[in-house]
Amino acid sequence: MKILSLHEFDAPSFDDLATVALIEDNLEYCDYEHLSDELQPFSKYLREYPEVSIAPDILATRETARAVWGDGLFLPVHDSIFKKIASTCREKGLTEAICLAASTEPEEITPVLHWIVTRLKWVLDLIDRGTNQREDLPTSGSGSVADIVHTRDWETSLIRSIAWHPHCPRLAVVTRDDRIRIFSQGIPVVPILRHSAQKSICCISWRPLASRELAVACHTGVLVWTIELGAASNSLSHAILLKQRNHAPVTSVTWHPQGDLLVSCSSADTHIIIWDTSKREGVPLRRVGGGGLCFTRWSSCGSRLFSASCRNIFRVWNTGVATSWHAEKWTVPNGRVAVACFGPNLTLLFASNEDPAMIFSLPLQENIFDVKKSSSDDAKMATPLIDLTKVNFSSNGDYVAVGGRIVAMEWDPTGRYLAILFQDSPWVAIIKTKLGNLSRVVEIKPSCLVKGFPGEIPSCMNFYQKYKEDSNMICLTIAWSSGRIQHFPIIEKETVPVVNVSCLSHSYSLAHDTYNFNLRAAF
C-alpha cells in the first residue's frame, strides 16, 4: 500500500474563518460571531454535546460553593505518630512505614529512632536506584514531563487535558491551575474538582461501566474521584489517593475496558502499576530496560496493553486470563515512541518523536482458522502508513507548515478517522482509514485540515467515544489555546456500519516476528 504524504491534502483556506464541520466530504467554515447560530448547517449535529469554553480569567480565582475540595470533606483524626507508623506498616508494608518515620521531626519519635530510620531509608533508596536505574528527570526539554505528555505546550497551555466519558456526553477538562471541570449535557452546574495532591496533572481517564469515576495522573500519585453531579450533591464528591514509593510523577493512567483494573506509569519508574482501586492496592509489572515509562494504552477488548518507555523500547503485553501476563519487547531505531493508539480488531498505530515522524501500523490479531498460512515474514510486520514530513501550504505570500514532530494522535472508535496534532503546526490533520482482515489497514486517504481562528493553536483533542450508527456522526473535540473547546462533527454521506470490535481468545499469544523498514524486535 502506498505511503500517504501530507502533500496529498488539499490546500486549506487562509481566511479568518475557522473550520467547523466536515459534512459529506465538504468543509464548513464559520466566523466567531455566528458559532452559536442555530441556523448554521452544523449546529443541529452538536445539540447533544455540552457547550464548553474556558476563559483565562477564571483560573486560580476564589471558587464558589460549586468547587469541590476532595481533602476537606471530613474532619481530620489526630493520631499519635507511632499509631500512624503502625497503621502504615500494617496497610502498606515496612518500607512505607520507614519512609513515614524518616519524614517526621526527630523530637516526635526520639532522635535515636529518627537517626536509625533515616539511615534505613538511605539504604532503601540506594538499593532502589541500583535496581531500577532511576534518573533525575529534566525540568524542561527532552525527557521532561512537558515533553512526554500529549498536550502541545503543556507548561503554558490554558487547557492541559480533555477526556470524554465512554458511555455518555460528559467531558472532563483539566486547566493549567490543576482544577478539573466536569461538563455534562443537561446539567447546568459544573463541578470543579480540587485536591491538595492534584498538582501537575498529565492525564485523566474515565472509568468504563461506571458513570462518575475519574482517574487523574498527578505529580505525587493517582487520584480516583467519585463525582456527584447536581447543585445539591457537589459537596459529596470525594477522591482517594493511590501512591507507591518512587512511582512519581505519574504521567499516564488508563482503565481496563471492563473497568476493573487501573494502570499507571511514571517517567521515573520502570514498573507499571496495576491498581485494584477497591482495595487501594497496586501490583507492579517489573521489567528491566528502557528507563521510565511515558504512557500506556489498552486495546478496546482488553487483551493487550501497550507501554512506551522513555527510550527506544516499547512493549505489548498479552493480558489474557488463560495464561500469565507476558510482554513482547520491541525497539524503534531512533528516539522513543511518542504516540500510539489501538483501533478495532487489535490494530496498533504508533509513531516516534523524530522530526519528521512516520506512523506505523502493527496488526496484532492472528487468524487461527486460516489453513493457508502465509510465510512467517508476512505474518506480522510493522508497516509504514503515513509520512509526516513537513509540508508548506501558501497563498498570496502567506504560508503555513503542516507536519513535523507529532504530539498527539487519536483514532475514533470505529477505526475510520485518525486525527493528528503536531508540535509546530496550527492545524489538525484528519485522515480516513479503512481496516481489512487480520486487523490490517488496507486504505488511507487524506480527509481535511482543521484550523481555528487567527492566533489559535490546538492544545489537545479527544474523540467522542459513544458512536451512534443511526446518526452516522463522528465527533472530534479539540481544545484550542484560546480556551475555546470545539466539537468538530464528521458526517458521512452513506450509513456505514460500526466496525465489529473482536479479538481472539486470551489464550493465544503473539508470534515473535520482526519489523520491516528498519524496525526490529528486541528480546
Side-chain angles (χ1 to χ4, degrees):
M1 184 174 61
K2 179 184 176 182
I3 299 176
L4 178 68
S5 170
L6 297 179
H7 286 282
E8 299 179 38
F9 278 86
D10 294 333
S13 170
F14 277 75
D15 53 29
D16 292 341
L17 303 179
T19 317
V20 292
L22 179 64
I23 303 176
E24 296 184 357
D25 293 329
N26 295 316
L27 282 175
E28 299 286 338
Y29 297 90
C30 185
D31 57 22
Y32 189 82
E33 288 74 17
H34 295 89
L35 274 179
S36 302
D37 189 349
E38 285 291 328
L39 298 179
Q40 293 291 336
F42 60 88
S43 63
K44 62 181 179 180
Y45 300 109
L46 303 179
R47 290 168 184 163
E48 68 173 279
Y49 303 108
E51 294 185 9
V52 184
S53 182
I54 304 296
D57 56 1
I58 71 173
L59 301 187
T61 57
R62 186 180 300 274
E63 297 295 341
T64 65
R66 295 180 181 180
V68 178
W69 275 94
D71 54 353
L73 301 176
F74 306 100
L75 294 176
V77 177
H78 299 285
D79 291 328
S80 67
I81 185 60
F82 292 102
K83 189 174 182 179
K84 290 180 180 179
I85 293 174
S87 177
T88 301
C89 183
R90 182 174 60 254
E91 295 178 1
K92 298 182 179 181
L94 180 61
T95 299
E96 291 296 328
I98 293 174
C99 294
L100 175 61
S103 63
T104 60
E105 295 296 328
E107 293 76 14
E108 295 185 60
I109 59 173
T110 72
V112 175
L113 183 57
H114 186 269
W115 184 88
I116 295 174
V117 294
T118 52
R119 268 53 183 181
L120 287 175
K121 185 177 182 297
W122 179 82
V123 173
L124 290 173
D125 290 339
L126 187 63
I127 295 174
D128 184 76
R129 283 195 297 268
T131 304
N132 297 332
Q133 301 176 354
R134 298 179 71 247
E135 300 175 357
D136 293 333
L137 295 177
T139 56
S140 62
S142 178
S144 65
V145 172
D147 181 59
I148 290 171
V149 296
H150 297 140
T151 301
R152 177 172 171 174
D153 302 328
W154 176 83
E155 292 178 317
T156 58
S157 178
L158 182 62
I159 300 174
R160 286 186 166 178
S161 183
I162 59 175
W164 276 111
H165 194 283
H167 310 306
C168 61
R170 182 169 298 154
L171 183 68
V173 179
V174 179
T175 51
R176 190 173 57 236
D177 56 0
D178 290 315
R179 299 177 185 181
I180 304 173
R181 292 165 172 83
I182 309 298
F183 297 87
S184 302
Q185 181 64 9
I187 301 179
V189 176
V190 179
I192 302 175
L193 310 180
R194 304 171 61 191
H195 196 284
S196 59
Q198 194 167 277
K199 304 295 183 182
S200 301
I201 300 175
C202 295
C203 175
I204 54 177
S205 178
W206 286 100
R207 185 173 189 171
L209 307 181
S211 61
R212 299 172 183 176
E213 292 188 46
L214 181 71
V216 184
C218 307
H219 181 77
T220 56
V222 178
L223 277 171
V224 180
W225 281 94
T226 300
I227 305 163
E228 295 297 332
L229 302 176
S233 57
N234 278 343
S235 60
L236 298 179
S237 297
H238 62 277
I240 60 172
L241 178 61
L242 307 175
K243 56 188 298 186
Q244 283 205 8
R245 187 166 173 266
N246 296 323
H247 190 70
V250 177
T251 52
S252 176
V253 286
T254 314
W255 287 97
H256 187 277
Q258 295 300 318
D260 53 345
L261 299 176
L262 178 66
V263 170
S264 69
C265 66
S266 169
S267 54
D269 190 1
T270 60
H271 304 153
I272 300 174
I273 305 298
I274 310 295
W275 296 98
D276 183 340
T277 57
S278 62
K279 299 179 180 178
R280 303 189 185 186
E281 295 178 351
V283 177
L285 290 180
R286 305 178 186 275
R287 285 295 181 272
V288 178
L293 297 172
C294 299
F295 65 93
T296 58
R297 291 289 183 271
W298 283 103
S299 65
S300 56
C301 60
S303 66
R304 299 292 187 275
L305 175 64
F306 176 93
S307 63
S309 73
C310 296
R311 300 177 185 172
N312 66 332
I313 295 174
F314 69 93
R315 292 178 173 89
V316 180
W317 291 81
N318 188 323
T319 62
V321 297
T323 59
S324 59
W325 287 28
H326 58 278
E328 288 195 341
K329 179 180 174 182
W330 306 83
T331 62
V332 292
N334 299 297
R336 60 172 176 81
V337 174
V339 293
C341 53
F342 279 100
N345 301 328
L346 286 176
T347 307
L348 174 66
L349 299 184
F350 65 93
S352 70
N353 64 339
E354 294 181 279
D355 186 4
M358 176 77 73
I359 295 178
F360 287 85
S361 171
L362 179 62
L364 301 177
Q365 187 182 95
E366 299 173 8
N367 187 359
I368 62 173
F369 302 105
D370 187 1
V371 295
K372 296 181 179 180
K373 281 286 186 180
S374 57
S375 64
S376 59
D377 292 336
D378 297 330
K380 186 180 64 179
M381 295 185 297
T383 56
L385 288 183
I386 306 169
D387 182 4
L388 300 181
T389 300
K390 191 174 295 184
V391 175
N392 291 328
F393 292 97
S394 61
S395 175
N396 298 325
D398 296 330
Y399 76 93
V400 173
V402 178
R405 182 179 176 183
I406 187 171
V407 173
M409 180 171 66
E410 296 283 339
W411 209 356
D412 87 278
T414 69
R416 301 208 303 272
Y417 288 92
L418 182 71
I420 304 172
L421 191 154
F422 302 98
Q423 177 62 44
D424 300 314
S425 174
W427 290 331
V428 174
I430 299 180
I431 296 171
K432 292 189 68 173
T433 58
K434 181 180 179 181
L435 297 178
N437 296 328
L438 295 182
S439 67
R440 295 184 183 275
V441 179
V442 296
E443 186 178 14
I444 48 174
K445 295 179 181 179
S447 179
C448 65
L449 297 172
V450 181
K451 67 167 184 170
F453 292 108
E456 288 185 333
I457 59 173
S459 299
C460 51
M461 59 187 181
N462 189 230
F463 273 105
Y464 181 56
Q465 299 300 306
K466 189 177 180 182
Y467 174 75
K468 292 183 178 180
E469 186 175 353
D470 54 354
S471 65
N472 195 30
M473 186 184 81
I474 294 170
C475 180
L476 174 65
T477 298
I478 305 171
W480 297 91
S481 57
S482 63
R484 182 174 67 94
I485 293 184
Q486 174 189 8
H487 304 311
F488 183 83
I490 302 174
I491 313 299
E492 295 186 339
K493 186 174 183 179
E494 298 178 356
T495 301
V496 179
V498 180
V499 178
N500 182 28
V501 180
S502 62
C503 21
L504 295 179
S505 169
H506 293 175
S507 61
Y508 296 99
S509 61
L510 298 176
H512 293 270
D513 298 308
T514 58
Y515 284 107
N516 68 354
F517 293 92
N518 296 323
L519 291 176
R520 63 188 184 278
F523 304 99

